[in-house]
Each structure stands twice: as C-alpha cells, then as structure tokens.
Amino acid sequence: MPVLYRKYRPKTFSEIIGQEYVVKTLTNAISMGRISHAYLFYGTRGVGKTTIARLLAKAVNCQNRKDGEYEPCNQCISCYEINEGNALDLIEIDAASNRGIDEIRNLKEGINIVPVKSKYKVYIIDEAHQLTKEASNALLKTLEEPPQHAIFILCTTEFSKILPTIASRCQRFEFKKLTLPQIVKRLEFICSSEGVKAEEEALEIIARAAEGSSRDAESLLNEVINLQPDIIKKKTVEEILGIVGVESVSRLVEFFIKKEKKKALEYLDQIFQRGIDVENFSKRLISYLRDLLLVKINPEIFDKNNIFTKEEREELKRQMKEFSEDDLKKILKIFLEAQQEIKWAELPQLPLELATIEVIDNL
Ligand SMILES: Nc1ncnc2c1ncn2[C@@H]1O[C@H](COP(=O)(O)OP(=O)(O)OP(=O)(O)O)[C@@H](O)[C@H]1O
Ligand SMILES: [Mg+2]
Ligand SMILES: [Zn+2]
C-alpha cells in the first residue's frame, strides 16, 4: 500500500483542515495578486507547512487560474509538474540534509536568472532553522533585495532558532496543532477513499496518539490498515498502538472515589497481567490526575481545547467534582513519587499498588 500521507497530500486549499487564518490570508492574497516575496511558516510537525507552501507555489504559477481565483487547476502543465515533483521553477531546499551551504550558494547564483517557464521561481526552504550561520547570512542578503520573480517560503518547527533579521523580512504565519475532531475527519476521509471501514472510537484513539499532527495520524492509520485491512476496531488499535486509554486510568480513579481498595488492587493486577506497561500506565494516570486538577481550577479549560472526546470531558468533570483541590494535589504527589520508584523497583507495579493504598486510606 502506498504511503497514505503522500497519496492524500491536499491538492487544493479546500482540502486543508484547520489553519483557517493562514488559508484565508493566503487565498485572499492570491486572488488579489498581492504576493509577498518572503514567507515564514512555523509551527509543530505534520500540520501542513510544506503542503501549503506547495499549494501557494502551484497557485501562483497555475496557467489556468484567473484573476480573483485562488485554487490551482491541477490540470495545466505547471500544476502537473509540481504535483509530480519535477517542476524546474519550484526549488525545494532541505536545510537539514547538509545544512544548506551549497544550496544557498546555488540559490544566490541562480536567483537572478528568470524562471524557466513560469511566472515565479518559488524557493521552499524546509527546516530553515537548520541553515548554518553562513547560509543564513547569504539568504538574508537575498531577502534584502529579492528579484520580482522570486518567492521564498521558509518552513520551520523552531521559530526561535531563525535569525530575527530573517524573520523580520518575512510575512509570518503560525501553524497550529490540529484538533482531535479535525484529525478524525481527515482520517474518515482517507478511510472512505481507501474503502476501509472504521469504528469512530478507533479513529479517535489514533488521532489522540498523533498529538495534533495530521501526518503522524496518517502514518499510524497506515500501520493499522496494513495489519487490519478491512475494518479498524478500537480494541485492535489499542493493542497495536500499545496505548493505555484514558478509560483505563479513569476506572482506577473511580475506585479511589468509591474507596474500593480491594477492587482497585484487583484491577491493577488484572491490567498488568494483560501486559500493559507499568510506566506508561503511571504516566497516563499522572497526566489524567493533572487534568482533573486543571478542570477543578478552571472547569472550562478543555472545552475549547479538543484533546478529549465529548464523553471523556464529561467523565472528567464528573470525577473532578468528587475531589477537593487539596485531595487532587495530594494524590498527584503520591503518584509522582511512585513514578520515580517504578524504574528501580524489583516489582515495577508495587510502587503503584502502595500509592493506591495510600491514596484510598487517606481520602
Ligand atoms: N492542515 C492539513 N490538512 C490536511 N492534511 C494535512 C494537514 N497537515 C498535514 N496534513 C497531512 O500530513 C502530511 C504532511 O504534512 P506537511 O508535510 O505539510 O507537514 P509539515 O507541517 O510540513 O511538517 P514538518 O514540520 O514535519 O515538515 C500531508 O501530506 C497531509 O497528508
Ligand atoms: Mg514540512
Ligand atoms: Zn494549473
């Protein structure tokens, strides 16, 4: 099976999920013919920087696009060559590979030569923060007086490592992490295009594991489909990803609330028997306890931020009401200490069991 995130890389702006501000501003600029000569796209990995950079390149050079429009046609020779990855006037430089010294030198030599057959010569400089000082300075010189036919698009995950003098010459766009529903929607689209059925919850688990990156979600989906080609089930996804779901930690917390020491210990034993990693479980538990504390202090905190599903948010709020702020702080501290001990413990689950007993005894 081909690599999904390459196969489904959006070919029009309408296929982009999220990044509304970036898309709106850029498509307006394209429609009105007000193109900058230098852009800086920054933000976390796998959220559309390179994709939108190529879309911009395609749109400005598209031979069928009329004034007032912004979508590339994907039919003309220019669009076709960009889609195929062999357009002469789109130069992609990967600053990570050799830190860009030769490329920037070539760039300086070639920059004044007019484009071969397009309106613009577009330079996409990926991982721009990896450019050496020398290459950065050379680039800066070019950015000070770019020729009319040149457009630079610098992409980076590390804005703070870009020379301020370079950043200030660019029109800057921040790319945001994608939300859970946005990623799920994208996964649904890919599944249906591939003719694969999937349980909604299974896709949510994949989306959550990707932590806001569409590419990561798509590669996970790829792995899952390889192993389970016809229907994607929640249970299998959990097994494949080795994830300890939120539900498994909230169940333990429920035993705290009911002060059911015996059941809590049985439950822990049962999940570790099943082969769940103690350290992962412990991390997940701490992160969940932290979330409980955060909603306790600010009940709206997760309403905007879509890292949880609706059911999880409701469950979180319900459980939060059962504890005082002090309780939560105390429980967190107990499990933070246990977490330290797991690494060295002869029996890794023992620190968690002791912590569980301590928590229930003291509530
Ligand atoms: N906003 C988005 N809308 C739709 N698909 C996306 C989006 N962001 C990422 N993708 C998917 O993820 C793939 C990789 O995205 P892209 O290469 O644009 O990420 P990036 O931000 O440049 O990441 P990196 O910082 O790692 O280079 C795309 O081919 C596409 O399938
Ligand atoms: Mg990229
Ligand atoms: Zn075109």
Side-chain angles (χ1 to χ4, degrees):
M1 189 167 98
V3 181
L4 289 180
Y5 71 79
R6 282 208 206 104
K7 182 170 171 189
Y8 290 99
R9 189 186 285 281
K11 290 196 168 64
T12 58
F13 285 103
S14 65
E15 288 171 58
I16 296 289
I17 51 167
Q19 318 306 0
E20 293 83 0
Y21 175 77
V22 182
V23 171
K24 193 151 199 286
T25 315
L26 282 178
T27 52
N28 270 338
I30 297 167
S31 308
M32 297 192 294
R34 289 207 196 124
I35 308 297
S36 300
H37 288 285
Y39 295 93
L40 176 57
F41 291 176
Y42 64 96
T44 60
R45 59 183 204 285
V47 294
K49 297 183 296 297
T50 306
T51 305
I52 292 185
R54 288 189 191 156
L55 281 174
L56 176 59
K58 217 158 45 168
V60 295
N61 280 338
C62 174
Q63 294 163 1
N64 289 330
R65 189 180 57 83
K66 298 183 188 65
D67 286 348
E69 296 175 357
Y70 56 82
E71 290 287 18
C73 77
N74 287 302
Q75 314 261 309
C76 70
I77 182 80
S78 168
C79 285
Y80 177 79
E81 285 180 351
I82 292 181
N83 285 341
E84 291 295 304
N86 49 29
L88 290 172
D89 295 317
L90 171 60
I91 299 111
E92 296 200 41
I93 298 174
D94 176 18
S97 59
N98 53 8
R99 312 209 59 198
I101 300 177
D102 292 341
E103 280 95 342
I104 301 293
R105 193 173 299 134
N106 292 342
L107 182 155
K108 277 183 77 187
E109 282 163 11
I111 185 82
N112 289 312
I113 304 170
V114 295
V116 185
K117 42 185 174 182
S118 331
K119 191 162 171 203
Y120 291 101
K121 237 179 186 167
V122 183
Y123 293 86
I124 298 179
I125 306 180
D126 237 317
E127 310 295 336
H129 64 277
Q130 299 257 37
L131 290 175
T132 58
K133 217 172 171 148
E134 194 192 354
S136 290
N137 283 324
L139 176 64
L140 183 60
K141 285 260 149 56
T142 316
L143 290 181
E144 275 161 4
E145 274 177 274
Q148 275 308 305
H149 60 249
I151 299 173
F152 293 90
I153 310 168
L154 281 58
C155 300
T156 182
T157 47
E158 298 190 50
F159 179 73
S160 60
K161 292 191 185 156
I162 299 284
L163 280 185
T165 41
I166 289 190
S168 69
R169 300 214 164 264
C170 299
Q171 185 175 359
R172 296 178 294 275
F173 287 103
E174 183 181 3
F175 282 62
K176 302 261 164 62
K177 278 191 179 186
L178 299 165
T179 64
L180 193 83
Q182 284 170 338
I183 296 182
V184 169
K185 216 172 129 206
R186 170 107 181 128
L187 295 177
E188 275 168 355
F189 163 74
I190 294 177
C191 283
S192 76
S193 311
E194 289 289 308
V196 175
K197 287 206 178 66
E199 290 178 0
E200 168 102 18
E201 276 194 288
L203 298 185
E204 283 178 356
I205 293 170
I206 295 174
R208 183 159 346 102
E211 295 180 348
S213 158
S214 190
R215 191 204 2 255
D216 288 2
E218 291 165 38
S219 354
L220 287 173
L221 180 70
N222 218 142
E223 269 179 71
V224 174
I225 295 181
N226 283 339
L227 290 160
Q228 194 182 38
D230 34 316
I231 171 146
I232 303 177
K233 293 214 173 92
K234 176 186 172 196
K235 196 161 163 278
T236 334
V237 171
E238 276 178 337
E239 277 163 20
I240 290 169
L241 301 182
I243 282 178
V244 186
V246 175
E247 194 199 312
S248 71
V249 286
S250 72
R251 263 180 75 181
L252 181 65
V253 171
E254 197 59 27
F255 293 126
F256 296 171
I257 293 170
K258 299 197 172 117
K259 298 195 200 313
E260 292 178 326
K261 196 155 58 178
K262 182 163 163 266
K263 283 195 183 157
L265 292 176
E266 270 170 10
Y267 174 66
L268 281 176
D269 198 50
Q270 180 200 328
I271 60 172
F272 296 133
Q273 289 275 344
R274 261 179 26 212
I276 281 179
D277 184 79
V278 178
E279 244 188 296
N280 276 346
F281 181 83
S282 163
K283 280 188 198 150
R284 191 59 240 158
L285 177 64
I286 288 170
S287 142
Y288 187 78
L289 291 167
R290 173 176 173 268
D291 293 338
L292 281 174
L293 182 61
L294 295 181
V295 266
K296 185 89 204 166
I297 294 167
N298 174 7
E300 276 113 56
I301 189 162
F302 296 120
D303 291 351
K304 296 166 217 116
N305 174 337
N306 274 304
I307 52 174
F308 292 106
T309 61
K310 195 160 164 276
E311 291 77 37
E312 285 166 2
R313 276 201 300 270
E314 276 158 17
E315 179 69 355
L316 197 72
K317 285 192 174 169
R318 185 187 64 76
Q319 290 196 327
M320 166 273 276
K321 295 198 183 105
E322 305 284 343
F323 298 100
S324 68
E325 193 178 316
D326 271 347
D327 283 341
L328 289 170
K329 285 194 289 198
K330 212 160 56 190
I331 301 174
L332 253 174
K333 282 195 186 125
I334 294 174
F335 278 100
L336 276 171
E337 267 169 40
Q339 164 90 353
Q340 296 303 312
E341 290 163 19
I342 293 172
K343 290 190 199 85
W344 312 106
E346 191 85 13
L347 260 178
Q349 71 191 73
L350 184 58
L352 279 190
E353 289 165 344
L354 290 175
T356 297
I357 296 169
E358 192 182 342
V359 163
I360 295 178
D361 282 347
N362 286 295
L363 275 176

